[in-house]
Amino acid sequence: MISYSIFRKKLKKRKKIVSFIIIVQLLSACLSVVIPYINGKFIDSLVIYKDAIIIVRYAFLIGTIGLVSSVLSYIYVLKKVKLKNNISFEINLEGIHQIQKMPLDYTFDPMYMTHRINIDSTSIVSFFIDQVITAAINAIGLLLLLIILFSINRLVFLLVIVFSMIFIALYLLMKKPLFDANVCYKEQQNIFFGKLSEQLILHQEVATHGIINSFSNLIKNSYNAFFQSVYRWCKTNTTFETIDRIIEIAFQVAVVIIGGLQVIRGNITVGEYAVINIYFASIISLIKSYINMGKEYQEVKACAVRMDEIFALKPDQCGLDIIESINRIQVENLSVRNLFSANNAFEKDLFYVIIGQNGAGKTSLIKGIMGLIESDKGNVLFNNKNIKSINLEKARNNKFSVMIQNESAPQMDVGEYLCFMLSMESKEEIEAIIKDRELSNLFLSDHFNLLYLWKKNILSLSEGEKQMVFFLRTVLKEASVYIFDEPTASLSGDLIPE
């Protein structure tokens, strides 16, 4: 799977921290085997020798092991948290970048998509770091436990093998229902939270049209579908866990009976019986950890399938060639969304106006020229070079300065936004460029003064003020091509001097 391959690459870049985690887990597995054995020997020593010095020696040994284990555990937890979160973030970001590279005619619900990517990437990383790496180390501990148990009492060892087979049979029986239930649950969960967020995103529209109650019915319908998936998922998981618990109880009863009889018959000592009980609990815990890992794998497999759907999306066309400047744009028989068939040439340092009725395709033509949406037919050439061979992401970043319709902005102050978008450092730098280009009458006037809005959140501005900020950003950027798509649409007369 693509998502597994990406995870492995991220893991290989962090060999040192992964090696440390594996070593600590290996030591922990060994200690979990050694400490119960020491305790059993201690009990037998007390019964036989009844010497206070033995108590001191065993206490010192156990205390030292416990202290070292605690320090290593502290470092281990911090290292693992760092590893998990950093890799989760990077995979999350790759998923978002994949969506961002899609043509603009690819539609999706942003809330649904971000929630889906975050949940799925986190689940994949957590599973492999918490479960798979641990499982590989625990296999060594399980093997040591079984060897020691075999040396103490073969009958109890045989009992462990039989019940292990029963646990494995349970997982094989339930793995497909668990996978199907998880796929359905995760998909409906993302859809529901997307609809839930929509209730607040459209706050203004809902309040304006007075449709709170009727709009709530939409979320209720989504909740009903979500609840059915939750109920199915819960029922399947609970069935698995209940059967698992019944098998474990039967296992415990069998070990108590057989172990007790072995003590009575003198086949094992009381200390050995104590060790058997501790090892039995450890073996049960390890076996169940593998069964639970199998159950969780069905959840993670569902996440991986959904992440692979995103990584398999065909991204926006993007070549490798870097262009130094754009001197000529040629459109050859270009058709976008079947709205038009355009043949035009645009030369550097000239002004062009595209006019037409609403819906004629003016904005679509701009997007087609920039390669933002796929064309039905035809070609676009920059300097006689087909845009399919050009790195359009870099071209848009360095050679185009565009003001689009209905533009949005992130949660930033006006000054922070302009400095970020223009790669500038300060208000003074921007103010100096405005004055140098003789734009003060537009952006530093009584009608509109950028300096008064510098610390305001850009989303709190009026539509006209936001439009002026976007206009300023577009004209200040150094570019080969400047595009303004209805730049005065939201401007009122009081923002522009006569």
Side-chain angles (χ1 to χ4, degrees):
M1 288 186 169
I2 303 173
S3 49
Y4 292 167
S5 176
I6 292 172
F7 171 76
R8 284 195 296 270
K9 289 178 183 177
K10 304 291 182 189
L11 209 59
K12 285 180 180 178
K13 292 180 181 178
R14 298 168 169 86
K15 290 181 180 178
K16 288 184 179 179
I17 188 171
V18 172
S19 298
F20 175 82
I21 288 173
I22 291 173
I23 291 170
V24 173
Q25 285 189 324
L26 186 59
L27 287 173
S28 178
C30 292
L31 288 174
S32 67
V33 175
V34 170
I35 289 177
Y37 186 78
I38 292 173
N39 286 332
K41 289 294 182 181
F42 174 60
I43 293 171
D44 286 339
S45 296
L46 284 178
V47 172
I48 298 170
Y49 301 110
K50 299 179 181 179
D51 190 344
I53 295 177
I54 293 176
I55 297 175
V56 174
R57 287 175 180 173
Y58 273 103
F60 177 78
L61 180 60
I62 292 171
T64 302
I65 292 172
L67 183 61
V68 172
S69 178
S70 297
V71 172
L72 289 175
S73 177
Y74 173 78
I75 301 173
Y76 163 79
V77 169
L78 295 181
K79 293 286 187 182
K80 193 164 78 166
V81 166
K82 181 179 179 181
L83 181 69
K84 284 170 57 178
N85 282 274
N86 287 345
I87 294 180
S88 294
F89 170 73
E90 290 176 14
I91 295 178
N92 200 324
L93 200 58
E94 285 200 26
I96 290 173
H97 284 168
Q98 185 73 7
I99 299 296
Q100 289 174 326
K101 291 176 183 177
M102 293 299 294
L104 293 185
D105 42 8
Y106 174 74
T107 57
F108 59 92
D109 179 346
M111 295 302 299
Y112 160 82
M113 190 60 74
T114 51
H115 188 263
R116 168 177 168 173
I117 291 172
N118 183 57
I119 292 294
D120 290 348
S121 60
T122 302
S123 297
I124 291 169
V125 173
S126 295
F127 174 76
F128 278 98
I129 292 177
D130 289 338
Q131 298 287 349
V132 175
I133 294 178
T134 303
I137 301 300
N138 284 344
I140 298 172
L142 182 59
L143 182 62
L144 289 174
L145 287 171
L146 290 173
I147 290 172
I148 296 173
L149 194 60
F150 180 80
S151 66
I152 295 174
N153 191 277
R154 295 183 182 181
L155 188 58
V156 176
F157 170 80
L158 182 61
L159 188 66
V160 168
I161 298 300
V162 170
F163 274 92
S164 297
M165 295 298 104
I166 296 174
F167 276 121
I168 293 170
L170 170 64
Y171 168 70
L172 294 175
L173 181 67
M174 294 293 296
K175 70 174 185 176
K176 189 176 187 309
L178 287 167
F179 172 75
D180 292 342
N182 271 288
V183 170
C184 181
Y185 163 66
K186 289 184 179 296
E187 187 65 20
Q188 290 300 325
Q189 182 188 43
N190 294 146
I191 292 172
F192 172 66
F193 279 103
K195 291 293 183 183
L196 200 62
S197 300
E198 196 176 64
Q199 297 284 314
L200 296 180
I201 292 172
L202 299 177
H203 168 74
Q204 176 178 275
E205 290 75 7
V206 171
T208 300
H209 300 297
I211 55 173
I212 292 176
N213 291 331
S214 55
F215 203 63
S216 294
N217 290 331
L218 297 177
I219 194 65
K220 289 176 183 177
N221 293 335
S222 179
Y223 169 74
N224 289 334
F226 171 56
F227 176 75
Q228 291 301 320
S229 69
V230 171
Y231 188 78
R232 176 190 173 192
W233 172 78
C234 183
K235 184 178 179 180
T236 306
N237 275 271
T238 304
T239 300
F240 177 85
E241 290 168 2
T242 302
I243 298 173
D244 176 79
R245 180 60 180 160
I246 291 171
I247 295 171
E248 182 183 350
I249 292 170
F251 197 178
Q252 289 173 332
V253 170
V255 168
V256 168
I257 293 172
I258 293 174
L261 290 174
Q262 293 293 305
V263 173
I264 291 171
R265 293 169 182 170
N267 295 330
I268 58 175
T269 66
V270 174
E272 288 174 331
Y273 178 67
V275 172
I276 286 174
N277 273 312
I278 295 171
Y279 281 178
F280 161 74
S282 298
I283 290 170
I284 283 287
S285 177
L286 289 172
I287 292 172
K288 289 191 68 174
S289 73
Y290 284 108
I291 300 300
N292 286 328
M293 185 181 75
K295 187 187 79 170
E296 286 187 29
Y297 174 69
Q298 302 309 315
E299 298 178 18
V300 171
K301 185 179 175 183
C303 294
V305 167
R306 295 182 349 136
M307 284 297 291
D308 282 4
E309 290 174 358
I310 292 172
F311 288 126
L313 290 171
K314 183 182 178 183
D316 187 9
Q317 54 183 336
C318 190
L320 299 175
D321 294 346
I322 306 297
I323 52 175
E324 296 300 325
S325 66
I326 300 177
N327 300 314
R328 175 183 172 85
I329 298 176
Q330 189 169 346
V331 179
E332 298 178 341
N333 197 30
L334 182 68
S335 176
V336 178
R337 295 174 178 170
N338 295 313
L339 290 173
F340 51 79
S341 182
N343 287 278
N344 301 92
F346 304 94
E347 303 289 345
K348 188 177 181 181
D349 296 331
L350 294 178
F351 291 89
Y352 297 88
V353 178
I354 301 173
I355 59 175
Q357 297 178 344
N358 289 338
K362 302 184 295 296
T363 299
S364 295
L365 174 59
I366 291 171
K367 291 177 179 177
I369 289 173
M370 296 181 67
L372 290 168
I373 55 178
E374 293 184 359
S375 59
D376 304 310
K377 62 178 182 179
N379 297 302
V380 177
L381 308 177
F382 293 169
N383 303 339
N384 296 318
K385 183 176 292 187
N386 196 303
I387 63 170
K388 292 180 180 178
S389 67
I390 295 171
N391 188 319
L392 291 177
E393 184 178 350
K394 289 189 178 296
R396 293 175 199 139
N397 185 35
N398 301 319
K399 308 306 172 188
F400 281 87
S401 185
V402 185
M403 183 176 178
I404 62 178
Q405 288 188 53
N406 305 316
E407 188 161 358
S408 298
Q411 286 278 1
M412 289 181 174
D413 292 343
V414 170
E416 184 184 2
Y417 171 76
L418 287 173
C419 288
F420 170 74
M421 294 297 291
L422 297 170
S423 299
M424 295 184 183
E425 298 296 330
S426 65
K427 175 172 63 177
E428 289 73 24
E429 183 180 359
I430 291 177
E431 183 181 3
I433 295 174
I434 292 173
K435 291 177 179 178
D436 183 61
R437 296 186 183 180
E438 299 181 355
L439 297 171
S440 298
N441 64 324
L442 276 176
F443 303 110
L444 299 174
S445 69
D446 294 335
H447 300 274
F448 176 87
N449 195 320
L450 171 68
L451 304 183
Y452 297 156
L453 304 176
W454 190 263
K455 289 294 184 180
K456 284 191 175 182
N457 188 308
I458 192 169
L459 300 183
S460 70
L461 303 183
S462 68
E463 290 302 314
E465 289 172 329
K466 279 192 282 188
Q467 194 82 338
M468 288 294 287
V469 172
F470 297 146
F471 186 56
L472 173 62
R473 179 212 65 211
T474 307
V475 297
L476 290 191
K477 181 179 177 181
E478 294 286 349
S480 299
V481 180
Y482 292 85
I483 298 175
F484 300 88
D485 192 357
E486 299 191 18
T488 61
S490 299
L491 296 181
S492 58
D494 60 347
L495 286 174
I496 305 175
E498 296 182 1

